[in-house]
Amino acid sequence: MSTFDNPFDPNQSLHRGCTCGKHASQADHNAAIAASPNPTDEEAALNRAVESSIMRSLFPEDRTRRNFIKAVGVSTAMAAVSTFFPMAAAKAVAADPVGPLEKKKLKVGFIPITCATPIIMAHPMGFYEREGLDVEVIKTAGWALIRDNVANGQLDASHMLSPMPISASLGIGARQQDTYVATIQNINGQAITMHNKHKDNRDPSNWKGMTFGIPYDHSMHNLLLRYYLAEHGVDPDQDVQLKVIAPPEMVANLKAGNIDGFLGPEPFNQRAVYEGAGFIHVLSKDLWDGHPCCAFGATRSFVEENPNTFSALFRAIASATVYAHKKENRPEIIEAIAPANYLNQPKIVLDQVMTGRYADGLGNIIEEPERADFDPFPWESMGVWILTQMKRWGYIEEDIDYADIAEEIFRATDARQRLAEMGLPAPEINSKKHMIMGKEFDPARPQEYLESFEIGRA
Amino acid sequence: MSQSLSLRAGLVSILLLLAFIGAWWGATLPTQVDLGDMDPEYAAMMGLDTVQESDIPTPGDIGSAIWTHLSDPFYVEGSNDMGIGYQLAHSLWRVLAGFALAALVAVPLGFLIGMSPLMHKALDPYIQILKPISPLAWMPLALYIIQDASISSIFVIFICSIWPMMVNTAYGVASVRDDWLAVAKTLEVGPIKKAFKVILPAAAPTILTGMRISMGIAWLVIVAAEMLVGGTGIGYFIWNEWNNLDLANVIFAILLIGVVGMILDMIFGLLGKAVSYKEV
């Protein structure tokens, strides 16, 4: 039974499977909500949701509710409930959860990589429009420009690398400005791609002396590559060279043999394979399954000055993210994001990234449905991990309170509340333990975790 | 005689072009590849075919890119995908805006420097230091201070256009022939009238040469600036196609930049001719 179904129907069950009860699994539920009713149905649906939650709290046992309605009839039941609960008022409150939008015309930046999928697809697929927003999605030439344009307010909100709001808030490699991670855009979806000449040299401990490309210093790519190399005894500062290179140039440089490999965003790993330049050595999913990569962020001042607009923006992006999570929506999404206005990439390449059935460049077709995934919840523990690594590699020198900073920047509590208002599932906790390359990371003990590494600057 | 020279030169040009395209065509002929027992699905995923196209686009690819873009130069498929006509218009607008601002500053300042040996000596060290700075080196600073990507690229055009115009204006003004100035003095011409009636016409060809150099540099710089900043313009177009590793479109844009640059240079050449005169 969906949150939006009629709780006064005695034949419906209110308690089942996912959060709303209608769907077999949580994933089905998410997609159904994301593909949510068109605007004319929304009011009715919202009324149903209010009625459902009231009835659920009145009748914790669903059997009791059904018996009650069967016994007295629907209209009597409704009247009876209305006498002691102001249902009409509750519906009115729910129908207008936010006030008017402070700003309708918005500029949202993105870098043309698949990590930006929810931000991008929300434009052609109408997710912004549904929230009453007129959003211009602006293709931006590089991460430094995203950083600057967010800082100076040219972009209202933007696609960011997850560590960027942290570096902006701490004023590291950026103008100090409190910046929030509103949602995570994508999880997984990166890879280490190596030059074809290293086909027989798959052991990273032999990689000393090599040169690697990363897209930006304050990126998950940099932190994950450093982590991966260090786990194999290669010091990323001493033994190899890490160069900041824009992703399309990574492919060209790989082809020319200027770099030995890169940890980059999709579709450029697959593009390198498609161009015959390299092979996919390992997916980032295999380093940390479910790791965050890019985020959707905004400055604190924008959020505080435009709370309703920000909520609407959040809803658009979060529902796009949940929609993108669902595998059967992927072909439609690929169609929407491939044109020159957005990613400007061949569909066959995007297809391999988004479906996870791909050529690895070594002659194999690999089936990895979780290769690129989307999950909006900004776990604070992800923020803590990023902080430990930024400290580990010397980006942060002073002593910090990991939990405090992560809580301030990764808006998990806000996200949960908003997701709940949308009827979307959200975890009940803000932090969890993560498994990264077989090692458990406990966000409650960041300092111990940091000290457990042999290689590092901290 | 000169007509037949032009004719022969034209013929040689065409022959050279044909030879070049022929060599290009030959070098990029598709090759037959033996995919062996490769899984057809894998081959498709790798973009492989039994007929393997060359990595470098063929003359035909460029031809079709030129046709595609020029046949519909003003389409708008969203704010990140506009026709080449719009992209060119954006670039030209930025160049002209930056260039006009530079002219407003450079010509009066150049006059001042040219007419006053004191100012010449005083300002010279600054000009010498600022002149050799690569225009793009200003970009991060401009972005940080101006806080607007589009205005920053106009500023970069401004800062690169200003020096050749200023230096040439100063040189032109300083080398106005002394006897003309003497005549003006004898006729008791006022300073404003002297500037406009005597010095400006005499220095105009040199000033326009400076402007021509500035315009050339501005057109060089705008492409690089737009590649850095993105958004709109011919530089953005190249960046966007480079993002897709689509070399045919990149080559098309390079050709177009060359043609537009040539036209701009011709315009300033004609203007220069219009203000110059032959001494009899």
Side-chain angles (χ1 to χ4, degrees):
Chain A
M1 160 135 197
S2 144
T3 317
F4 304 131
D5 281 339
N6 188 351
F8 290 100
D9 179 350
N11 298 319
Q12 286 277 13
S13 160
L14 285 181
H15 300 268
R16 223 192 299 159
C18 64
T19 32
C20 74
K22 182 182 181 186
H23 305 98
S25 72
Q26 194 61 44
D28 292 338
H29 167 94
N30 296 347
I33 298 295
S36 99
N38 66 53
T40 50
D41 294 340
E42 254 165 23
E43 204 177 331
L46 208 54
N47 287 343
R48 293 279 183 247
V50 173
E51 289 169 358
S52 292
S53 60
I54 292 169
M55 290 303 278
R56 259 202 297 255
S57 55
L58 283 176
F59 300 98
E61 278 287 319
D62 206 37
R63 201 158 35 94
T64 329
R65 176 188 63 97
R66 274 182 280 182
N67 291 340
F68 167 68
I69 293 171
K70 273 182 188 150
V72 301
V74 173
S75 53
T76 319
M78 274 181 127
V81 172
S82 303
T83 51
F84 56 86
F85 195 91
M87 211 173 263
K91 283 176 192 171
V93 169
D96 194 17
V98 292
L101 299 175
E102 296 85 1
K103 191 173 177 186
K104 284 186 179 158
K105 278 183 89 72
L106 295 175
K107 288 184 172 173
V108 174
F110 74 95
I111 297 283
I113 51 179
T114 49
C115 305
T117 298
I119 289 177
I120 300 172
M121 66 185 257
H123 189 248
M125 297 173 76
F127 285 84
Y128 294 124
E129 241 178 325
R130 248 175 35 196
E131 299 293 339
L133 295 170
D134 177 10
V135 171
E136 191 187 343
V137 287
I138 296 176
K139 198 189 279 195
T140 311
W143 290 113
L145 204 67
I146 291 256
R147 172 198 66 198
D148 294 343
N149 285 353
V150 169
N152 64 36
Q154 271 196 70
L155 295 173
D156 295 301
S158 180
H159 178 204
M160 294 177 189
L161 294 154
S162 301
M164 282 172 72
I166 294 181
S167 45
S169 296
L170 298 179
I172 304 163
R175 190 194 304 237
Q176 195 286 325
Q177 186 153 36
D178 292 343
T179 308
Y180 291 160
V181 173
T183 71
I184 295 294
Q185 280 284 295
N186 74 306
I187 54 172
N188 300 337
Q190 327 300 315
I192 297 178
T193 300
M194 298 295 291
H195 191 279
N196 283 331
K197 70 184 172 201
H198 298 303
K199 270 182 184 171
D200 299 322
N201 180 15
R202 300 289 298 276
D203 181 1
S205 47
N206 297 331
W207 287 359
K208 290 183 182 175
M210 286 191 183
T211 306
F212 293 90
I214 49 169
Y216 193 67
D217 269 343
H218 301 274
S219 67
M220 284 303 288
H221 311 87
N222 182 20
L223 300 181
L224 284 173
L225 180 60
R226 284 168 173 270
Y227 191 101
Y228 180 75
L229 291 172
E231 285 298 287
H232 289 93
V234 177
D235 187 322
D237 286 316
Q238 314 275 328
D239 301 332
V240 295
Q241 195 184 355
L242 301 185
K243 281 186 190 169
V244 175
I245 309 179
E249 283 158 39
M250 289 177 180
V251 177
N253 273 297
L254 193 70
K255 208 169 194 173
N258 289 341
I259 53 174
D260 297 283
F262 63 82
L263 199 161
E266 296 295 0
F268 291 99
N269 299 292
Q270 198 59 49
R271 191 69 200 255
V273 172
Y274 180 80
E275 298 290 329
F279 63 92
I280 293 177
H281 168 70
V282 61
L283 296 179
S284 61
K285 174 189 171 289
D286 299 331
L287 309 187
W288 172 359
D289 191 8
H291 74 79
C293 184
C294 293
F296 173 66
T299 59
R300 185 170 88 176
S301 54
F302 176 79
V303 177
E304 284 176 356
E305 283 160 25
N306 309 281
N308 300 337
T309 299
F310 181 73
S311 293
L313 202 50
F314 179 95
R315 287 195 297 273
I317 301 227
S319 43
T321 311
V322 171
Y323 191 79
H325 166 74
K326 186 96 180 178
K327 301 286 181 298
E328 59 262 38
N329 296 330
R330 299 277 173 91
E332 180 195 357
I333 293 170
I334 294 168
E335 287 292 327
I337 63 177
N341 196 32
Y342 305 111
L343 290 191
N344 197 20
Q345 288 288 341
K347 279 194 200 106
I348 182 139
V349 174
L350 291 181
D351 204 58
Q352 295 180 63
V353 173
M354 298 286 273
T355 63
R357 184 173 169 79
Y358 66 94
D360 66 354
L362 295 165
N364 314 307
I365 293 179
I366 296 182
E367 188 84 47
E368 182 48 87
E370 312 295 316
R371 175 179 181 180
D373 207 348
F374 302 91
D375 184 348
F377 193 71
W379 290 94
E380 282 172 21
S381 42
M382 291 172 167
V384 174
W385 185 84
I386 291 169
L387 284 165
T388 63
Q389 300 304 302
M390 287 176 78
K391 193 128 169 59
R392 178 180 182 186
W393 303 116
Y395 293 104
I396 297 173
E397 281 168 6
E398 67 278 14
D399 286 334
I400 49 168
D401 185 331
Y402 298 92
D404 254 20
I405 297 174
E407 188 188 352
E408 176 64 22
I409 298 172
F410 281 63
R411 310 300 285 181
T413 307
D414 290 355
R416 170 179 312 106
Q417 192 188 338
R418 291 201 168 91
L419 289 169
E421 279 166 11
M422 293 163 71
L424 290 173
E428 283 169 8
I429 45 172
N430 288 359
S431 269
K432 63 176 178 182
K433 292 179 178 174
H434 300 280
M435 281 301 279
I436 300 151
M437 287 191 73
K439 181 168 173 170
E440 189 182 73
F441 163 62
D442 180 355
R445 295 195 175 80
Q447 198 60 33
E448 272 174 42
Y449 180 72
L450 182 56
E451 282 158 12
S452 71
F453 296 111
E454 276 177 32
I455 300 179
R457 306 278 85 78
Chain B
M1 181 65 201
S2 85
Q3 206 179 1
S4 91
L5 180 70
S6 312
L7 194 71
R8 281 185 296 155
L11 263 175
V12 173
S13 291
I14 290 171
L15 274 176
L16 281 174
L17 181 69
L18 287 178
F20 174 67
I21 291 180
W24 179 4
W25 178 77
T28 55
L29 278 179
T31 43
Q32 287 286 333
V33 196
D34 181 19
L35 292 179
D37 50 358
M38 191 189 276
D39 180 354
E41 189 189 358
Y42 185 81
M45 284 174 165
M46 295 290 289
L48 293 176
D49 211 326
T50 46
V51 183
Q52 181 67 42
E53 302 270 338
S54 158
D55 280 351
I56 315 279
T58 64
D61 295 337
I62 306 296
S64 78
I66 293 175
W67 173 249
T68 322
H69 290 293
L70 293 189
S71 60
D72 187 11
F74 290 104
Y75 73 87
V76 177
E77 288 276 331
S79 51
N80 303 310
D81 183 16
M82 292 186 238
I84 196 73
Y86 279 114
Q87 310 288 14
L88 267 183
H90 274 108
S91 298
L92 282 171
W93 183 81
R94 287 189 187 121
V95 164
L96 291 179
F99 183 81
L101 285 175
L104 282 179
V105 175
V107 174
L109 262 180
F111 249 80
L112 182 68
I113 295 167
M115 288 172 74
S116 148
L118 171 75
M119 291 312 285
H120 182 245
K121 272 212 168 342
L123 290 178
D124 195 51
Y126 300 110
I127 297 175
Q128 296 311 326
I129 289 176
L130 292 172
K131 201 172 58 167
I133 297 172
S134 161
L136 285 179
W138 293 98
M139 191 53 116
L141 189 68
L143 280 172
Y144 198 87
I145 293 174
I146 300 175
Q147 308 207 347
D148 182 301
S150 188
I151 299 178
S152 298
S153 46
I154 293 175
F155 169 79
V156 168
I157 297 302
F158 166 82
I159 203 81
C160 78
S161 305
I162 204 165
W163 311 114
M165 273 197 267
M166 190 188 290
V167 170
N168 269 47
T169 306
Y171 172 75
V173 169
S175 46
V176 173
R177 274 164 48 182
D178 286 340
D179 38 354
W180 296 352
L181 294 174
V183 170
K185 206 171 187 177
T186 351
L187 294 174
E188 290 185 359
V189 178
I192 303 277
K193 203 170 177 186
K194 185 175 83 178
F196 280 96
K197 291 274 178 189
V198 181
I199 299 177
L200 187 62
T206 330
I207 296 176
L208 266 163
T209 308
M211 287 184 162
R212 192 175 175 177
I213 298 170
S214 285
M215 183 50 89
I217 297 175
W219 188 243
L220 286 181
V221 167
I222 193 66
V223 175
E226 285 169 347
M227 285 179 84
L228 267 181
V229 171
T232 46
I234 187 80
Y236 164 78
F237 177 85
I238 292 197
W239 175 79
N240 198 23
E241 294 308 329
W242 171 230
N243 229 16
N244 186 17
L245 300 167
D246 187 335
L247 283 188
N249 281 339
V250 170
I251 294 173
F252 159 72
I254 290 173
L255 284 174
L256 193 64
I257 291 166
V259 170
V260 173
M262 183 185 75
I263 293 172
L264 288 174
D265 192 63
M266 271 165 59
I267 292 172
F268 276 86
L270 288 175
L271 285 175
K273 257 192 194 143
V275 296
S276 66
Y277 47 88
K278 283 215 171 72
E279 284 186 53
V280 202

